[in-house]
Structures are given as C-alpha cells and as structure tokens.
Amino acid sequence: MKKLSVFLFMFIGLLGLTGCSSKGTEVVFWNPFAGADGETFQAMVDEFNDEYKGQYYIDSQTTANDGNAYYDKIKTSAQSGDGPDIAIMHIDQLPQYQANDIIHPWSNDEVSAMSVNLDNFSETTIESATFDDQLYAMPLDTHPLVLWINNDMISEEEIPTNWEEVQALAKEGTEGSYTMAVPSNPYVLNRFLYTVFLQNDIPIVDETGTKVLYNTEEAKEILQVVQDAAAADYTPAPGEDVSNMFKLGEVGTLFEGIWMKNAWDEAGLNTTAIPLTGLFGDTPANWASSHTFVKMNNEMTTEQTEAATMFIGFIEQNATEWAAAGQIPANEEARETDEFKQLEPQYSLSQDMDDYKFYPSVETQDATWLPLETYANEVYLGQKTPEEALDAAQKDGEGAAELVK
Amino acid sequence: MKKNSRVGYLFLAPFLIAFVLFLIIPTVTGFYLSLTDYNGMSLSNASFVGLDNYRAIFDSNSYYFKDFWESLIRTLMYVILITPAVIIIPLVLSYVLNTMNAGKRLLKGMFYIPVVLSVSGIATLAGWVFDQKYGLINFVLTSLGFDAVPWLTNPTFAFMAIVVMTIWWTMGGNLIIYIASMQGISTEMYEAADIEGASKVKQFFKITIPSIRPQLAFTIIMSIIASFNIYGQPAVLTGGGPGKSTMSVAMYIRNTAFGSTQAAGMASAMGIFFGIMLIGITYFQFKHVIKEM
C-alpha cells in the first residue's frame, strides 16, 4: 500500500513536471479577454484543443484587466514561479517586462514552427516587439481608437474628414441628440489626446525615456479646446457617460476602440467607423495597440514549446475569426483573405495600417504618459486648467521615470 | 493535563497554520522588501537600501510625500465619517427592530443583504444609482425639477458617494450583532424601567447600551480597522478620481507597487508603516477607550 502511494505521488509529480496528461502536452496560457471578445477567443482555443486532442492541450485562463488586475497578476506570478507558460501582452507593455526578464524571446526555429512569415507584419509592429535584435512577441492584432458613427443619426455626407468638419458637426448637437462628444472615460481621453498630439507634431517623451516633452503651448491649446467643447451646450455635460449615451442613440458619434464592435452590434446599433487620421492635424497618426503572444520566464519542455508554437500558429492562421470580435489582424496574409474583406468596419479601417501608432516603446512609457490620464480628465471636468494639468503631469511623469530608471 | 493541551493545539492548528502562512510570512517578507528597491518584477535586481524607503515617507522633497500623506488624511476622513455611522445607525435600528413585532425579519433581511454582496457588486450597483445621466438619484432629483448632480465626477460628491455606499454596504453586519446582543438583555429590566416611568430614550441609554458594551467595543474596533482599509469602493466606483480626490491610502500603496513608479519596495515600507499605525490606534483603543466602556 505504502509503495503504491509513493509510486502514485511520483507519477503525479512527473506529470506535473513534464506538463503531460491524458489531455496531451499541457501549456498554461493567460489572457485578458473577458466579455464578447473572450467568448470568441475561447472558442478558438477549444477548436485547437479539439483538433489536437490527446496531443496538445492549452489551459486557457482569463483575468479581466479591470484596474490593471491582469498585469498585476502577471508581475506577482512571475516572481513566485506560478505564472503561465505563454500569455497575451499588449505591445506597449513589452519594454518593462523585457527589461525585467519576465518575458523571453522567440527563437527563429520557434517562429518557423508557428508557420508565420514575419515579412507579413508591419515594420512598426515588428520593431515594437523586438529588443536587442530578438523577437519577444508574436503580434496577433492591431486595435486602434476610431470614430464610431451611428448611421441612423449621422448621414454619410456629415461624416467629418478634417478639423473644420469635426467642429461643424459638433456644433449641430442639441440636448438628447448630440452629434459629437468629448470622451468621458479617462482611458479613452488619454488615447484620444495621444492621437491629437501626434497629429500636431507634439512629441511625448525623449529618447532616454526620462524627459516629458508634451508640456507645450500647442498641447495647452488642445486641452483648452477639449475643456471648452466639454462645457459647451452642444456636447453632453462633463461627467455624463457618453459611451452609454451612444449605445442609447443619444450621441451620433463616439471616440472609442474598434473592440466595441460587438457591443454596438448587441445593442442593435447600425454603425460604421472611420480612422482618426486627418481629423485634428496634418501628420497621419492614430493611437493603436496590439495583442501579442509572449513566452514567459517559465522553463518549458521541448514538447510544451512545440505545443505553444503550434497553438500560436493556429490562432495566427485563424486571425480572421478573431478579427470578427472587433480587431484587425496584424498579419497581412489574414487581412487579404476574402473572409476578412467581408468584415466591416474592420476591413476599411485596415487600409490605414501605416497610420496606427503605438505608445513609445520605452520602459518608462507608463511613467511618463499615464499621469496625464488623471490630469486631463480633470481638465475635461473643468477642475484644472490645461497649464496646471500639463505641469502636474510633467512633474509626476519625470519623477516616476526617474524612479523606474 | 499535557494530553489536553496537545488536543488544544490540534484544534488551534488550522488557524495557526493560516495565521503563519497568510499573515506572519507575508509581513516578514513585506518588511524585508521594504528595505530594498524591489520594483515588483525582478527580485534579483533589487538592492538593499536600508531605511531609505521609510525616510522617503517623511521627506517632504520625496516623490511620494505629498500623495502618500494626502491619501492617508483622506483615509482618515473616510474613517471619521464612516465609523460613527456604521455604529450609531445600526444601534438605533436594532433597538427599534427589537421593539417591533410585525415585519421585523423582513427588515433585518433587507438591512443585512448588502453585507453578503461583494464590493465589486456593491460598487457597480452604486455606479448605477449615482450615475449622472441615468442614475436613480438624479432621476428622482430631475423629476422633482432639480438639476442633475455630478455625483461621481465632483470631488466632494464622489467622496460622499463612497461614504454613503460603504455605510449601506457594511452596517448590516453590526446590526445583526446588536440585535443578537439586545435579545440577550432581560426584559425584566425594561419592565421595571417602564414601571419607574423611564422613557424609551432613557431606557436605551441606561439599559441597552450598558448591557451590550463588549459587543459595542468589538464593533467599534473592527469598524475602525475596516474603514482604514477602504480600497475596493473607490477602486471600482471612481478609480480614485476625479483626479486623486477619492484615492485611499490602500489604493495609493497598490498604485505605488504596481503602477507607473514600479516601486514595490517603497510600497512595502508604506504598508508596514500603515500597519504599525493601525496597531497603534487599536492599542490606544484597547488601553483608553474600550477600558472605559
């Protein structure tokens, strides 16, 4: 009896060590996809597990990133060794995790095993995923901030194409039937400002990642426009949830992420979306981010690495399925498929891939840029002047960057 | 005797194991981290910095000084506003409920239900109630001809919304303790007081309160500690905003560890300092306040 127990313990331990089970070689995979996009992604994981039943098994675990919970979990688990084997990570988060050795590079052999051709990805995407000449992340998609349009409220002729038309459309708004709205969500407002700053050639951070460069006269003017527009009668009152108002048909257009596609469809809205390039300045630029696959600092067996690369390859090859959840595939090959060409507004928005700009790829990106999120929201609410907000953001940003460095 | 004490330790073992695992070890580890510049991501790159993190808490030139002390003072304000309310309101309610015959169980249930809900659920619900455009309160106000109030985007209103939400969420726990303890008071004392002509108010202060002193002491201590540790309510309802106007010290410590500064060592020092402060306050209560009761 005792011998049997010892044998069972050893057997179970061995299974744990090798990541093997009756399900096949097991790989733990973490992702932040909750809600409608989470259902789409889980369905893709299930398809993979069915197709490779008994050979590979992806144990997909989701943690919604509310309040940054997903990344908090990744950081703490990386220290305790309880983290996943592979994970989804936003492209702008990569620098800090790479600098701290939490993510490991994909070798050329591993990339080959994914059956992915890196030439099919934009230069910007690959550059942002590469550190010390090594690829640390396999990009899955691109998700820009866009201008959503309720087709039942805004006609095709009214859709703005430049700053003058944006202003003209905004001023047509009346209570209960607004045409435009200043983003009430601080997260969205910050990405909106990033877009407007870049379109007006306002830099964000210097090359060393320690000096905040966006505290300029032009930035003050932009924030003043934001404050005035929010306080005007022709837009919703500051603090009103404009995303909800768009959903209820009380606002005709909305600055939001492309990932809201499913939410609008579920609400029965008849929508389209346009990129932001050209709406606020002459320089083509539009904030975007990208979900990427990263290899964590867990030691994987050869079989697990094989399972992980097969899985990533499978998802990349079925990126159109993922795109239906409101994403643009990072892989050009997927963007050229007939299936993707049927997806609107994703396909139309994919025509501007070169204009989509990620946050600067520096370790101090959060430190230097995030403080503006808090203070810009106060400008929008009329509780701080643009000057106060930019000064405070610069002080906080440079102070935090100094600490990170 | 010896055998009995062994059995005693055996019964204590589950608690002691949990106590060591989830309190002693994290506290010792936290103290060690507080003496380093650990960034929350790479322990191998952390250097020993001695008491530098503790000095930064008190150094007015440090990056953390202003926000840490402001969030601590804000937390103190939460404690000052929430604690008396979650003691006094349930105390009065339980006294009234104990005198009722009909509807008592229903009302007890109604007051207690929020306690069993998670902070995320409560805060989401509060978000709907306080929503500026579609919220229940503003619906009533605007229906009566008043202007809508920016409950969650005005610093003062947002702070008060969190206070009100916390009182509603937590007072049910104290209410049940008071009701149970009041039911243990002999009815003969109230009958005698009635015969003597004592009013209900006088009976409340002269019979009820003195009879439930131990329970009152327990709830006061626990409510103060719980109010100091306020985190989930502002984190979910306002994200600490607008600006930093509703950010509690627990939220600030979390942000210091995992936010843009990546200063988990510094956050550990803040956590240790805050913990020592709470132990001091609780000790003071035991020594001077509870002893008097």
Side-chain angles (χ1 to χ4, degrees):
Chain A
M1 190 62 188
K2 199 178 171 186
K3 277 184 182 170
L4 182 69
S5 307
V6 171
F7 171 75
L8 280 174
F9 263 114
M10 284 175 70
F11 183 68
I12 292 165
L14 205 63
L15 285 183
L17 282 174
T18 56
C20 290
S21 70
S22 59
K23 295 169 181 171
T25 303
E26 195 169 321
V27 171
V28 177
F29 165 64
W30 283 7
N31 68 79
F33 304 134
D37 56 355
E39 285 169 27
T40 304
F41 201 87
Q42 187 56 47
M44 295 172 76
V45 173
D46 293 343
E47 278 170 39
F48 176 84
N49 285 338
D50 282 347
E51 196 168 322
Y52 293 94
K53 204 170 188 175
Q55 194 180 356
Y56 307 128
Y57 180 76
I58 300 299
D59 178 9
S60 177
Q61 299 172 14
T62 302
T63 302
N65 198 30
D66 295 336
N68 219 37
Y70 177 68
Y71 288 107
D72 286 2
K73 197 172 163 183
I74 285 196
K75 282 178 187 172
T76 45
S77 69
Q79 287 308 308
S80 64
D82 297 325
D85 300 311
I86 55 172
I88 290 287
M89 193 168 275
H90 288 88
I91 204 159
D92 42 50
Q93 293 291 317
L94 297 174
Q96 52 175 313
Y97 291 90
Q98 186 272 337
N100 286 286
D101 210 25
I102 290 179
I103 54 174
H104 287 180
W106 294 109
S107 68
N108 290 340
D109 288 346
E110 286 161 0
V111 173
S112 299
M114 293 175 199
S115 308
V116 170
N117 183 356
L118 292 181
D119 292 339
N120 288 330
F121 294 82
S122 76
E123 212 173 297
T124 320
T125 310
I126 295 299
E127 263 175 30
S128 299
T130 303
F131 302 88
D132 304 329
D133 297 326
Q134 298 185 89
L135 185 77
Y136 273 77
M138 178 53 67
L140 168 62
D141 59 45
T142 300
H143 45 271
L145 185 73
V146 300
L147 181 65
W148 283 99
I149 291 148
N150 182 334
N151 295 329
D152 296 332
M153 292 178 74
I154 306 291
S155 68
E156 212 175 320
E157 296 74 44
E158 286 178 298
I159 296 174
T161 56
N162 56 46
W163 175 229
E164 285 69 34
E165 288 175 15
V166 167
Q167 291 176 90
L169 178 64
K171 285 174 183 167
E172 284 174 24
T174 53
E175 196 178 348
S177 183
Y178 296 108
T179 47
M180 296 201 86
V182 177
S184 59
N185 180 333
Y187 172 93
V188 176
L189 180 61
N190 214 29
R191 279 139 186 85
F192 170 81
L193 285 173
Y194 183 73
T195 302
V196 182
F197 283 7
L198 289 193
Q199 288 189 15
N200 287 278
D201 301 317
I202 298 169
I204 305 302
V205 61
D206 73 346
E207 280 176 8
T208 64
T210 54
K211 184 114 187 79
V212 165
L213 301 176
Y214 55 77
N215 187 1
T216 66
E217 282 307 313
E218 292 81 6
K220 275 177 208 161
E221 284 169 27
I222 289 165
L223 282 173
Q224 192 59 58
V225 171
V226 166
Q227 190 168 58
D228 294 344
D233 289 340
Y234 54 77
T235 61
E240 290 186 346
D241 182 351
V242 296
S243 183
N244 220 357
M245 292 173 76
F246 181 77
K247 203 190 253 184
L248 295 170
E250 294 181 21
V251 177
T253 64
L254 184 76
F255 297 104
E256 249 296 2
I258 185 177
W259 55 87
M260 293 303 285
K261 163 81 180 150
N262 280 355
W264 307 148
D265 287 350
E266 280 166 20
L269 292 183
N270 171 20
T271 60
T272 187
I274 59 164
L276 307 183
T277 287
L279 295 186
F280 308 104
D282 297 329
T283 304
N286 191 141
W287 175 86
S289 187
S290 168
H291 294 119
T292 68
F293 288 101
V294 290
K295 181 164 65 168
M296 305 301 290
N297 55 0
N298 276 358
E299 281 293 326
M300 280 197 284
T301 62
T302 312
E303 291 77 18
Q304 283 179 305
T305 306
E306 187 183 292
T309 51
M310 287 297 286
F311 169 65
I312 295 168
F314 177 89
I315 300 290
E316 290 282 349
Q317 278 135 35
N318 292 284
T320 315
E321 203 176 319
W322 173 235
Q327 303 283 342
I328 299 171
N331 190 335
E332 193 183 353
E333 212 174 318
R335 296 200 300 274
E336 292 302 320
T337 61
D338 290 339
E339 284 165 285
F340 182 67
K341 286 177 181 170
Q342 303 300 314
L343 293 176
E344 282 299 345
Q346 292 93 316
Y347 178 66
S348 298
L349 290 165
S350 74
Q351 303 307 302
D352 286 59
M353 284 300 279
D354 291 341
D355 296 345
Y356 298 138
K357 306 291 179 202
F358 305 133
Y359 278 141
S361 189
V362 289
E363 193 191 347
T364 53
Q365 177 260 309
D366 273 2
T368 49
W369 178 250
L370 276 189
L372 188 64
E373 190 164 309
T374 304
Y375 298 117
N377 184 51
E378 288 186 289
V379 170
Y380 152 74
L381 293 168
Q383 292 160 4
K384 258 194 172 59
T385 65
E387 193 173 356
E388 286 168 346
L390 287 165
D391 287 349
Q394 180 175 9
K395 191 176 169 227
D396 277 12
E398 289 179 353
E402 193 65 35
L403 292 165
V404 172
K405 282 276 174 183
Chain B
M1 186 66 186
K2 207 174 175 185
K3 196 180 171 189
N4 278 348
S5 72
R6 269 194 206 145
V7 173
Y9 282 121
L10 203 64
F11 278 109
L12 277 175
F15 165 76
L16 287 176
I17 291 168
F19 183 73
V20 170
L21 275 180
F22 300 115
L23 195 85
I24 300 298
I25 293 176
T27 306
V28 172
T29 312
F31 179 69
Y32 164 69
L33 292 177
S34 75
L35 304 174
T36 70
D37 62 356
Y38 175 47
N39 68 357
M41 288 193 272
S42 176
L43 205 50
S44 54
N45 289 337
S47 312
F48 184 77
V49 295
L51 296 174
D52 281 3
N53 290 332
Y54 291 93
R55 280 191 206 104
I57 293 176
F58 298 100
D59 177 4
S60 59
N61 294 318
S62 89
Y63 177 83
Y64 308 99
F65 182 82
K66 185 171 172 280
D67 283 342
F68 176 75
W69 287 102
E70 278 183 6
S71 64
L72 190 61
I73 290 166
R74 201 174 293 119
T75 305
L76 196 63
M77 289 301 295
Y78 279 126
V79 176
I80 290 169
L81 291 170
I82 293 167
T83 313
V86 296
I87 302 292
I88 295 167
I89 298 172
L91 202 56
V92 174
L93 278 175
S94 50
Y95 183 67
V96 174
L97 284 173
N98 260 349
T99 60
M100 287 171 65
N101 291 321
K104 186 171 153 182
R105 280 188 180 181
L106 178 73
L107 286 170
K108 262 198 309 196
M110 279 170 62
F111 288 123
Y112 192 71
I113 280 173
V115 178
V116 301
L117 299 177
S118 72
V119 66
S120 322
I122 287 287
T124 306
L125 197 63
W128 294 336
V129 171
F130 289 111
D131 186 272
Q132 188 173 330
K133 180 81 177 169
Y134 307 106
L136 181 68
I137 298 178
N138 275 355
F139 171 75
V140 173
L141 287 176
T142 50
S143 302
L144 294 171
F146 295 102
D147 286 339
V149 177
W151 292 111
L152 301 178
T153 51
N154 172 291
T156 310
F157 289 132
F159 190 86
M160 291 314 295
I162 289 168
V163 168
V164 170
M165 179 195 122
T166 308
I167 294 169
W168 174 62
W169 179 39
T170 57
M171 71 173 195
N174 289 349
L175 181 89
I176 293 299
I177 292 172
Y178 297 148
I179 287 177
S181 50
M182 282 179 196
Q183 281 169 349
I185 303 172
S186 165
T187 51
E188 287 168 3
M189 284 204 275
Y190 290 109
E191 285 164 11
D194 275 335
I195 293 165
E196 295 292 332
S199 69
K200 292 287 178 201
V201 176
K202 204 161 190 177
Q203 287 178 27
F204 177 73
F205 284 107
K206 296 288 179 187
I207 299 172
T208 310
I209 297 288
S211 304
I212 62 164
R213 270 182 189 161
Q215 292 85 350
L216 257 181
F218 171 75
T219 52
I220 288 171
I221 291 174
M222 296 311 285
S223 300
I224 287 177
I225 293 173
S227 301
F228 265 113
N229 283 320
I230 187 165
Y231 176 85
Q233 302 93 309
V236 180
L237 191 61
T238 61
K244 297 168 185 171
S245 62
T246 56
M247 189 179 291
S248 66
V249 72
M251 260 188 97
Y252 181 68
I253 292 173
R254 180 260 158 220
N255 289 354
T256 301
F258 297 110
S260 53
T261 49
Q262 301 174 15
M266 184 69 222
S268 300
M270 291 174 186
I272 295 286
F273 171 75
F274 184 52
I276 291 170
M277 205 189 88
L278 278 188
I279 291 170
I281 290 170
T282 311
Y283 176 77
F284 176 83
Q285 289 180 82
F286 268 114
K287 196 87 180 157
H288 299 286
V289 183
I290 307 306
K291 214 174 163 187
E292 302 285 314
M293 292 185 75

